[in-house]
Amino acid sequence: MIQLTPQQQRAYMSDYLENGWREERMSFSSVSLEPGYIDGRINVEHFQMPGDGQFHFSAQSAMIWISQLGIIYGCWDNQLTEKVGEVYLRDLDIKFKRPINITEEVRFEGFFPKHCKKQLSKDLVYYKNGQIHVEGGAFTGTASFLVPIG
């Protein structure tokens, strides 16, 4: 087995994965909800320019905003006025089919039909395999969340 030196490791590493994601600043520009559905639009306010000179919405950032979508939907769906505890992302299965290069109004959609929701106890709700679509199917998959409600 070959041991890489720190310099050899650095030569292979992505600056974005090491530092760039920490520099990103994103926020919801809007969030709309109805039973079984949430639509959140994300604006990218600051990012590190990759070596190819074009912004790419990363897998790491997508996971953060999918989590936020689940938190907001779970709280809203259970008539909470604020988050009462930590919401846990239990499962995330996502496919990155094509790059997302826009920085305004990146659309994140979550579909949570009634059969996805299960009350585990008086204080805990589980959303299983909600469908996630980002920017018209560029990223798609499923996500499951545990939401404390009491």
Side-chain angles (χ1 to χ4, degrees):
M1 184 176 292
I2 295 172
Q3 178 84 27
L4 295 178
T5 68
Q7 289 138 332
Q8 289 171 314
Q9 293 170 36
R10 286 244 180 265
Y12 292 133
M13 291 176 65
S14 163
D15 186 50
Y16 172 80
L17 294 176
E18 191 172 11
N19 299 306
W21 65 273
R22 295 179 196 155
E23 295 180 17
E24 288 183 345
R25 194 170 50 253
M26 300 181 186
S27 62
F28 279 116
S29 60
S30 68
V31 175
S32 302
L33 301 121
E34 62 184 53
Y37 178 73
I38 183 169
D39 180 339
R41 308 294 173 105
I42 306 296
N43 283 341
V44 181
E45 298 151 3
H46 178 75
F47 61 92
Q48 177 190 15
M49 183 60 76
D52 67 1
Q54 186 176 24
F55 170 75
H56 300 274
F57 209 103
S58 70
Q60 294 83 342
S61 293
M63 191 164 69
I64 289 167
W65 291 101
I66 289 167
S67 295
Q68 290 287 34
L69 214 65
I71 292 166
I72 292 170
Y73 183 80
C75 292
W76 176 84
D77 188 49
N78 290 284
Q79 294 85 44
L80 301 174
T81 57
E82 62 183 22
K83 187 174 76 155
V84 297
E86 289 307 311
V87 175
Y88 293 101
L89 177 63
R90 293 293 306 266
D91 267 306
L92 181 60
D93 180 17
I94 190 162
K95 305 236 182 311
F96 301 95
K97 296 178 177 182
R98 63 182 185 274
I100 298 172
N101 302 115
I102 62 172
T103 58
E104 294 182 1
E105 301 286 314
V106 181
R107 189 174 193 182
F108 278 69
E109 296 176 281
F111 299 86
F112 300 97
K114 288 184 190 246
H115 70 271
C116 285
K117 182 179 179 180
K118 181 177 183 182
Q119 185 126 11
L120 299 180
S121 71
K122 72 178 185 73
D123 294 331
L124 193 62
V125 174
Y126 184 51
Y127 291 88
K128 183 176 182 177
N129 295 330
Q131 297 293 310
I132 304 296
H133 299 275
V134 181
E135 199 53 41
F139 304 167
T140 62
T142 60
S144 301
F145 303 88
L146 278 173
V147 180
I149 58 171

